[in-house]
Amino acid sequence: MMKFKEVFPPNAYSEAAADKITYARDGSEFEGLVKAVVYPTTKEQIANMIMLGKSEKLHFTIRGAGTNTLGACVPANSVVVDLSRMNKILEMTTNSVTVEPGVILSNLLKEIQKKGLFFPIKPLEYKVCSVGGLVAMNSFGLDIRYGRVENWIEELEVINGNNQKLKISGPQLKDFVGMEGTTGIIFSIKFKLLPAPLPKTVSIFKFNTISALMEKYDFVSKNKHVTSVYFLDEFCSSFLELGSSLLLIVEYDNDNGVIKNDEEIAKLDGFMEKLQHLIINKKYVSKEDPYIPIENIPKFIQWLRKNAIPCYGYMHLGIFHPCFRESSPLNTELYNIVKILNGSVPGEYGIGIKRKQFFSNPKLSRIKSNHDPSKIFNRGVLID
Amino acid sequence: MIKCNECGLCKESCPVYRVVKKESVSPRGFAILDKKQNYDKVLYYCSLCNNCKVSCPYGVDLKLEELREKVLDQNGETEAVSKMIANLREFGNPYGMSVGMKKD
């Protein structure tokens, strides 16, 4: 451990009690053990750190803003690598921006906006989340029609567990994007940018019965101009003061939607963010993200209604967000229901520590052993 | 005890965290230290601006003044504070200047 002090300046290395306590946790209920905390600012420091770590048999937990709710940055007696000081925007052109992983998304969005450009991935936590975390978890934004962040990455520069510096693009991105930091440390990300948001119009449909809702969904999903379909249950629609019925909010990329006025659309754009804050304010603190196959969606909505669980979701992706009060027994029951309905649990947010037991993927283990055979990154997260 | 959910949404609202970039110097870090009853002197980094209270979706108030009282009980005062108190006692001002030195 002593040698770390040669790699890092004094203010970038800590074994202080306060740091060991605070870095043991993230946004989840899990708690780990911290050996030390380091704050690298250059890729050379990261490379030296990995080399030293290997010779001293240490392992690392990589951390951005630490807002993950599944324990993806909870250490297991490891050295925590806090990347938040790698927060420079390196280069911006008319169609791409290159950044370090610790850049806070809202700061990046501000800079992009200044240049009159647009970056489509903006999750609820955009004011605090780091872009490194966004890539590691392969997040969605609030506007679901842009898909996951993987669609907007041109190139990554990483250091893997073999201490090789790699430039990654194309299909190989899968080895690092969404791997929750288990295969390497990202030190530079090149994002694709758009000149402006894609055009859209919106229609809102209200229903009293599930069958009427499914019938409408079948109809709209055949329209190839439909980009996304949001589902809101009675709870969520009443939280938003849109009456108290089942809602489908359908977005089109042409003028098929009823709401065409830019001002009204901008108002609707904020509704997902507003809804999530309202849900938290009503003390529904735990949110899940199961995937439900289309044929079983009616049964799933019935179960939600029977147990009075507020829920919203993305019909076209089959991803739903049922919301639970703190330590509700229904939360664990959900996993069984999802299994019965042939769904899967890690639909959107990732796996971390919390869902590892419900999820095993031999493909991920192969990628892991390829890039990090001695398992020095994020032990206990995603895969064992 | 503070009822913090540890979501971390407060972090970037904190002007001190934005500069220091250390979890233990963020509002969430302070809340965790309180939960663990470890009243470290890092609590003195706070500027008492209350931005964290405004940005918290759960409306948590960290009441940093009270936490600092506990720092005092557990770890004594910081060097700067003890110097200030000594100066107040001796010179009647926190800067350690005698009255004659004050220039208007």
Side-chain angles (χ1 to χ4, degrees):
Chain A
M1 294 298 286
M2 284 305 289
K3 284 189 186 158
F4 269 95
K5 288 174 187 159
E6 292 163 22
V7 177
F8 293 101
N11 69 349
Y13 173 86
S14 169
E15 283 185 60
D19 290 318
K20 283 190 171 183
I21 292 171
T22 47
Y23 278 98
R25 301 158 76 123
D26 63 1
S28 69
E29 67 267 37
F30 297 98
E31 185 167 348
L33 271 176
V34 180
K35 233 183 186 127
V37 187
V38 294
Y39 305 87
T41 43
T42 63
K43 57 185 177 214
E44 288 75 25
Q45 277 179 351
I46 296 175
N48 288 340
M49 175 193 83
I50 292 173
M51 206 169 65
L52 253 181
K54 281 196 148 179
S55 68
E56 302 206 8
K57 297 221 163 7
L58 296 170
H59 49 96
F60 304 96
T61 294
I62 306 150
R63 183 179 174 110
T67 53
N68 186 272
T69 53
L70 302 163
C73 37
V74 170
N77 201 12
S78 12
V79 176
V80 177
V81 184
D82 186 339
L83 294 173
S84 55
R85 292 185 192 172
M86 291 188 82
N87 56 358
K88 285 192 279 296
I89 297 172
L90 302 170
E91 196 193 354
M92 199 176 326
T93 65
T94 48
N95 54 18
S96 74
V97 60
T98 310
V99 290
E100 291 186 327
V103 173
I104 300 301
L105 184 58
S106 66
N107 298 345
L108 176 63
L109 292 176
K110 257 181 239 160
E111 292 304 314
I112 292 171
Q113 205 180 13
K114 270 186 210 164
K115 299 261 170 167
L117 297 164
F118 177 71
F119 181 65
I121 307 295
K122 186 179 165 188
L124 179 70
E125 301 85 356
Y126 72 99
K127 282 183 185 158
V128 280
C129 75
S130 67
V131 293
L134 202 69
V135 174
M137 301 307 293
N138 198 8
S139 304
F140 279 103
L142 287 169
D143 196 341
I144 213 80
R145 64 202 165 125
Y146 297 104
R148 288 179 187 266
V149 72
E150 63 188 357
N151 303 333
W152 303 95
I153 302 170
E154 203 164 304
E155 191 179 76
L156 286 181
E157 286 187 70
V158 299
I159 298 185
N160 70 7
N162 303 322
N163 214 350
Q164 297 164 306
K165 287 196 187 83
L166 303 172
K167 272 193 180 184
I168 306 281
S169 57
Q172 268 201 306
L173 283 173
K174 282 260 183 240
D175 290 5
F176 293 90
V177 181
M179 287 300 287
E180 308 191 0
T182 55
T183 46
I185 301 182
I186 300 164
F187 62 86
S188 162
I189 308 161
K190 192 173 181 185
F191 286 118
K192 296 174 199 165
L193 297 178
L194 284 175
L198 302 174
K200 77 170 170 192
T201 56
V202 184
S203 288
I204 301 178
F205 302 103
K206 294 188 180 186
F207 308 93
N208 290 321
T209 63
I210 302 171
S211 57
L213 177 133
M214 291 309 293
E215 212 173 286
K216 188 75 193 175
Y217 176 70
D218 278 343
F219 179 74
V220 295
S221 61
K222 286 187 187 106
N223 183 340
K224 64 179 188 327
H225 290 291
V226 168
T227 50
S228 43
V229 184
Y230 296 88
F231 160 80
L232 302 183
D233 72 354
E234 290 98 336
F235 284 99
C236 295
S237 53
S238 67
F239 291 166
L240 283 168
E241 292 164 3
L242 292 170
S244 162
S245 48
L246 298 168
L247 289 188
L248 282 185
I249 300 178
V250 183
E251 291 181 353
Y252 303 84
D253 64 0
N254 64 353
D255 58 357
N256 278 6
V258 177
I259 303 169
K260 298 182 173 85
N261 181 336
D262 281 347
E263 235 170 73
E264 279 182 66
I265 288 177
K267 217 191 272 171
L268 274 173
D269 273 344
F271 84 93
M272 283 311 271
E273 191 176 344
K274 197 175 150 201
L275 174 65
Q276 298 190 42
H277 284 297
L278 286 168
I279 286 170
I280 291 173
N281 284 342
K282 306 264 181 204
K283 303 270 185 274
Y284 291 97
V285 292
S286 171
K287 198 167 65 180
E288 293 289 342
D289 62 340
Y291 162 79
I292 307 289
I294 173 84
E295 66 275 12
N296 288 330
I297 288 176
K299 279 186 199 149
F300 184 64
I301 300 176
Q302 261 164 19
W303 178 77
L304 293 168
R305 282 178 128 186
K306 198 178 89 194
N307 293 295
I309 301 165
C311 180
Y312 64 95
Y314 315 114
M315 289 288 280
H316 61 300
L317 299 172
I319 293 176
F320 289 83
H321 292 302
C323 307
F324 300 92
R325 292 232 151 96
E326 204 177 339
S327 51
S328 158
L330 290 167
N331 199 336
T332 32
E333 204 183 313
L334 171 82
Y335 293 122
N336 296 328
I337 294 290
V338 172
K339 222 177 206 173
I340 293 168
L341 297 177
N342 293 327
S344 60
V345 179
E348 182 179 347
Y349 298 149
I351 289 128
I353 296 176
K354 195 176 177 183
R355 292 157 172 188
K356 212 169 45 176
Q357 51 174 324
F358 300 102
F359 187 84
S360 72
N361 188 339
K363 213 170 125 199
L364 297 187
S365 314
R366 237 182 358 257
I367 298 173
K368 169 87 175 169
S369 56
N370 209 353
H371 286 288
D372 183 21
S374 40
K375 298 189 176 172
I376 57 167
F377 294 127
N378 285 20
R379 277 200 192 165
V381 174
L382 187 65
I383 17 184
D384 278 319
Chain B
M1 181 86 79
I2 295 164
K3 276 203 98 180
C4 168
N5 195 42
E6 297 176 33
C7 64
L9 294 179
C10 50
K11 281 170 66 181
E12 282 298 311
S13 72
C14 174
V16 185
Y17 173 78
R18 282 206 298 267
V19 176
V20 182
K21 290 281 178 190
K22 241 178 165 187
E23 190 70 48
S24 56
V25 187
S26 69
R28 173 169 72 174
F30 295 156
I32 293 173
L33 288 173
D34 181 53
K35 276 186 193 170
K36 296 282 169 188
Q37 311 254 311
N38 186 310
Y39 298 102
D40 196 281
K41 286 179 183 172
V42 291
L43 287 159
Y44 273 93
Y45 270 92
C46 173
S47 70
L48 304 180
C49 72
N50 259 343
N51 258 356
C52 50
K53 185 178 157 188
V54 177
S55 68
C56 175
Y58 304 92
V60 170
D61 183 357
L62 286 173
K63 297 194 178 124
L64 252 299
E65 293 93 334
E66 286 175 24
L67 295 186
R68 282 184 188 174
E69 273 176 37
K70 291 175 186 165
V71 177
L72 194 67
D73 293 343
Q74 211 176 69
N75 288 317
E77 62 226 358
T78 64
E79 223 172 277
V81 172
S82 55
K83 200 171 165 193
M84 183 181 74
I85 294 170
N87 283 340
L88 279 171
R89 289 203 175 120
E90 195 175 336
F91 301 102
N93 65 62
Y95 314 108
M97 292 189 296
S98 57
V99 181
M101 283 167 70
K102 201 174 170 188
K103 286 174 188 164
D104 286 359

